[in-house]
Amino acid sequence: MRCHEHPLRILRYSMRNIWLLIFPLMRGLSVLQLDAQRLYEWIRGAWQDIAVLGIIILFGFVRWYAAVITINDRYIMQSGGVIIRYRKTIPLESISVATAERPVLLIPLRAMKFSCDTRAGIFKATDMRLLVSCRVCAELMEHIPDVDREKRVEDLPKPSMISVILFSAFFSSGFSGAIYMAMFFVKGGSIAQDIISLSLSRITETTEKLTHRLLLRIPDAAVGLGTFMISAWLLSFIMNLLRYSHFKIISDRRCINVRCGITSRREYRIKMAHINYTDLRQNLIMKFLRTVTVNISCAGYGYDSQHLPVLMPIRREKDLGSGLEKIGISGAHRLDFRSGWSGVLSYLFNPILAANMVFPLYYLFEDLFPRFADLSFFFAVMLEIPLMWLVLVKTVAMLSSGVSVCDDRVIVRCAKWTAFHTVIADRHNIVKVELRQSLLQKPGGRCNVLIWFCGEASSCYMVRALKLREGVKIMRALGHDVRRKGRAGVR
């Protein structure tokens, strides 16, 4: 089958020649000082502007007509170009994820977005992205392997609306940061008002009116910024609800089909053999509630900034079900090698040191600049809150991190900043294992284990403060050699 993209793509091709509009713009500048004669001359030459616009659209049409999509049982090929021809061919067996998306604005135009990605390439770039008609998109998806309904896994857990709402709340950008920043600006604005009022009143009384007007703006701006942060989180929360509502997943032993979205309905077809690893993510609140969100690493799935690679929204860890175990995902994991309390310095030294330095620095700043004592105290308190939260996160990470190697699978539990990860992967998806031992760890025989997994982006997970002999066992169990590098490192 040979076809073209949707005619709407002509506009995108035309935009590449938008620079030609400089000529109508130059003609328009000539009538800035409007008079009857110049207006008459501009109207007489309007055909020139229309001709330039026609040339831009004509260029777009020629490029669109030259771009051809070829679909058969072996590959999808996109060819195009007028002067310099190009041809891009993707074998169907190499496609990791194929996506069909239908935004609500494209429904009247009967257009859809199709994209597919392979494990090749870097920087998470999509290998092929097309804007096609609904008929062509259906034809493309017809050639992509899908779930066999007769062999589908029957007991996969079904995401509920409550889980989607909780997922949207926890993973909206600025869930806690928006509230924190709102407090910062609202409270900081009132403090700044008092400080500036005291300072300006000592300068001169002749500027009383100007000072009063300036001060009235400070709390309003602070409240406005705080309101903006909360509104930004609320908007992100609503957008996530629209993206992940009606979340449905079906699977067999070789493919996963995910559908979600309201205003922009999306369908993903994921080849299970191309999944690099599974990541059970948690924050501290979810850790205490024993809930997780299931994510996967697979080329083309959740790689843009608007979509997360979620396979299952928030769910209790013990309720993941046997269905997910059939596709390689399980909730309960016994760790063979753990950090424990012996790794307290590796986990807690830096955050505790930072937390203990805040108020000494505040007292020093107060002595040097007593006028700003209230403001510096406010900054110190607002800085101490996230540092104490980080101490709590690292304490939980110290008690829960570890590594397990069983059969042909490795399980890594660790924390990155304030997020907890449980990574499950097959051994053949591990590209590098490294042991790092600092000078402070050497007397205690401790080391950090770093494991890299394959993928288009760097995926490294580190477990701190394991015993050196346990790190060596992990490397050997994963089939990696142990080689010393330098006087303070083990690789």
Side-chain angles (χ1 to χ4, degrees), residues 47-174:
W47 65 271
Q48 301 175 14
D49 301 339
I50 297 174
V52 171
L53 185 60
I55 291 173
I56 293 175
I57 296 177
L58 180 62
F59 282 166
F61 175 81
V62 171
R63 290 179 60 87
W64 168 81
Y65 188 78
V68 178
I69 305 170
T70 304
I71 313 166
N72 58 35
D73 294 332
R74 294 184 295 111
Y75 58 80
I76 300 174
M77 183 175 66
Q78 182 185 21
S79 59
V82 179
I83 299 176
I84 300 176
R85 298 286 296 176
Y86 68 88
R87 179 179 296 175
K88 181 188 296 184
T89 303
I90 299 181
L92 295 178
E93 61 181 11
S94 299
I95 295 177
S96 301
V97 176
T99 308
E101 181 179 0
R102 191 174 189 181
V104 65
L105 296 177
L106 296 182
I107 292 178
L109 302 174
R110 297 188 59 80
M112 296 184 68
K113 296 179 179 179
F114 173 85
S115 62
C116 60
D117 209 345
T118 68
R119 306 182 85 177
I122 56 175
F123 304 127
K124 299 182 180 181
T126 302
D127 293 331
M128 183 176 289
R129 195 188 302 269
L130 304 172
L131 178 64
V132 295
S133 64
C134 295
R135 181 183 63 85
V136 174
C137 187
E139 180 68 24
L140 286 166
M141 294 298 283
E142 185 70 24
H143 286 77
I144 304 297
D146 197 5
V147 175
D148 188 342
R149 303 286 173 166
E150 297 181 356
K151 300 179 180 179
R152 58 181 292 183
V153 178
E154 296 294 342
D155 50 352
L156 277 177
K158 297 181 179 179
S160 63
M161 190 60 192
I162 296 298
S163 68
V164 173
I165 292 174
L166 291 175
F167 174 81
S168 301
F170 279 120
F171 291 94
S172 296
S173 56

Side-chain angles (χ1 to χ4, degrees), residues 147-159 248-253 311-312 315-330:
V147 175
D148 188 342
R149 303 286 173 166
E150 297 181 356
K151 300 179 180 179
R152 58 181 292 183
V153 178
E154 296 294 342
D155 50 352
L156 277 177
K158 297 181 179 179
K248 295 181 180 179
I249 173 175
I250 59 175
S251 174
D252 58 15
R253 298 288 183 174
L311 196 64
M312 184 68 62
R315 194 172 183 87
R316 292 184 66 85
E317 192 170 4
K318 66 178 183 179
D319 296 334
L320 288 178
S322 59
L324 288 178
E325 292 180 359
K326 294 178 181 178
I327 60 176
I329 301 170
S330 57

